[in-house]
Amino acid sequence: MILLRRLLGDVLRERRRDQGRTLREVSSSARVSLGYLSEVERGQKEASSELLGSICEALDVPLSEVLREVSDNLALAESVTEAVPAGAVPIVASVPPGPLHVTNVAA
């Protein structure tokens, strides 16, 4: 199953890393605990819309842009999941800000 919180966390982490910023810097600016932001980035916590807004503001990136990237990645991952033959395991890796790259590996 594709988890939205993992895709969202991946996008947020990549945006932060692209800016060369630390979790501590962003968590302080967004007024969220470092541990919680780390869990959001790792897809372990569901972030509220208010929290997402604060994180995006701290990253100086529009929330709509982050959600659009997550949506694009989700659509691509869903299409890959549907196209994988029985017995194969999809391996999906993202190379932000570009599209996902997919390789099928026989089980």
Side-chain angles (χ1 to χ4, degrees):
M1 178 191 307
I2 302 163
L3 295 178
L4 182 61
R5 67 177 185 251
R6 287 200 181 151
L7 294 173
L8 180 59
D10 289 344
V11 170
L12 292 173
R13 182 184 314 107
E14 287 303 317
R15 292 301 179 113
R16 177 181 58 78
R17 287 179 175 170
D18 287 348
Q19 294 177 10
R21 296 179 65 193
T22 65
L23 274 170
R24 187 173 309 283
E25 291 170 336
V26 175
S27 69
S28 176
S29 182
R31 296 183 183 168
V32 61
S33 76
L34 185 138
Y36 197 81
L37 178 57
S38 176
E39 289 178 311
V40 168
E41 283 192 0
R42 288 180 283 139
Q44 296 177 335
K45 293 288 184 183
E46 296 276 354
S48 68
S49 58
E50 292 86 0
L51 180 62
L52 287 175
S54 294
I55 295 168
C56 288
E57 188 175 316
L59 292 170
D60 195 31
V61 61
L63 176 59
S64 61
E65 191 175 305
V66 169
L67 294 177
R68 188 175 311 112
E69 187 172 343
V70 170
S71 177
D72 290 346
N73 290 346
L74 178 59
L76 186 55
E78 287 174 336
S79 68
V80 167
T81 301
E82 292 171 3
V84 174
V89 177
I91 298 174
V92 181
S94 177
V95 182
L100 294 177
H101 300 279
V102 179
T103 304
N104 288 333
V105 179

